Amino acid sequence: MYLSSKKHILSQALINATVIQIMAVIAQFVIRVCMHGKRKRPDILNLKIWTLEYIVTCISIVLTVLVFVLAIKKVKKYISMVDEEDRKMMGRLQEDKLGETLSALSADVMLKLLKVWAVILVGLELIHAVVSVMYRRFIVDLYALNTPKGTLKRADLINIYNHTHGFKYLTMAGALVIGVIITAVILENRMLEILSVAAALIFLTAFCAVDISKISVFGMNLRIVWTSVIFHIIQTVGMVSFAIYLRVKYKGV
């Protein structure tokens, strides 16, 4: 079935989400201008400025989620007005009767696209929020080594290496997870959606909170960076398992 061609739910949701991001950027700019002060230290080292900016980021994420939740509920409401058995028949009837005035997308496709864009915009904003924390930690640690009282210790460099190593894999890991989630949305597979979110949370937890581990193999001391291990598991075992699952579960895919 199709919705009215006068209803622009997807495009309006994208506009609303973009306006929210623009307002967030303006708010963060105002915060920096008003609280910058005369010190030459970077604004990221000013805890008050960074905290207020982070609050703005969190609010923008919540509002973006709300935009897509309301849009998805609206489409679902329209779809539910017609019995599931009658939707295909109604769609064919609309195609025959409405012709060029027909909406470009069916209601089902509209719903899937809303979910896909929710995953992209909200997911990337969440990644950005996590990366902001880790980037500030890196700058703080780096700045501490450069102060007159700072002393360059091997342990400090190891900590900085561990805390920043996740940046190396973040983009690719995020792309793989988002790709799987989008596939799950299109196939309407809730299990894949849950597993994808779980994999993302495990990677981000390792990025933010797990330190380098030491193991001894044949008398050699090895250090394990867990962000690297988790990424390579997702990239190899995870993707092969995903492909095999699609082949078995869905014919011709």
Side-chain angles (χ1 to χ4, degrees), residues 236-252:
T236 54
V237 177
M239 291 307 297
V240 169
S241 300
F242 173 61
I244 293 173
Y245 174 78
L246 290 181
R247 174 173 291 190
V248 173
K249 179 75 174 178
Y250 302 97
K251 294 180 180 179

Side-chain angles (χ1 to χ4, degrees), residues 30-43 46 49:
V30 171
I31 289 170
R32 289 199 177 197
V33 170
C34 294
M35 300 185 65
H36 180 71
K38 297 181 179 180
R39 293 189 298 177
K40 295 182 179 180
R41 296 177 66 188
D43 289 337
N46 187 317
I49 292 177

Side-chain angles (χ1 to χ4, degrees), residues 206-241:
F207 187 20
C208 297
V210 180
D211 293 329
I212 292 177
S213 299
K214 295 180 181 179
I215 62 171
S216 180
V217 178
F218 301 118
M220 296 184 297
N221 291 323
L222 302 178
R223 296 180 183 273
I224 299 176
V225 182
W226 287 105
T227 49
S228 176
V229 173
I230 293 170
F231 167 74
H232 288 300
I233 290 175
I234 293 173
Q235 185 186 35
T236 54
V237 177
M239 291 307 297
V240 169
S241 300

Side-chain angles (χ1 to χ4, degrees), residues 11 88 98 114 142 217 233:
S11 57
K88 289 185 178 180
L98 297 178
L114 278 169
L142 202 61
V217 178
I233 290 175

Side-chain angles (χ1 to χ4, degrees), residues 40-68:
K40 295 182 179 180
R41 296 177 66 188
D43 289 337
I44 197 172
L45 294 175
N46 187 317
L47 185 58
K48 290 182 179 179
I49 292 177
W50 185 83
T51 301
L52 289 174
E53 287 185 335
Y54 202 76
I55 290 173
V56 170
T57 297
C58 293
I59 292 173
S60 70
I61 292 173
V62 172
L63 292 176
T64 303
V65 170
L66 185 61
V67 164
F68 281 100

Side-chain angles (χ1 to χ4, degrees), residues 171-214:
T171 303
M172 191 61 185
L176 291 176
V177 170
I178 289 176
V180 174
I181 293 178
I182 290 174
T183 304
V185 168
I186 294 172
L187 295 174
E188 298 180 353
N189 190 311
R190 182 58 61 87
M191 185 190 74
L192 281 178
E193 293 176 7
I194 293 172
L195 289 176
S196 301
V197 172
L201 290 175
I202 291 171
F203 179 84
L204 292 176
T205 300
F207 187 20
C208 297
V210 180
D211 293 329
I212 292 177
S213 299
K214 295 180 181 179

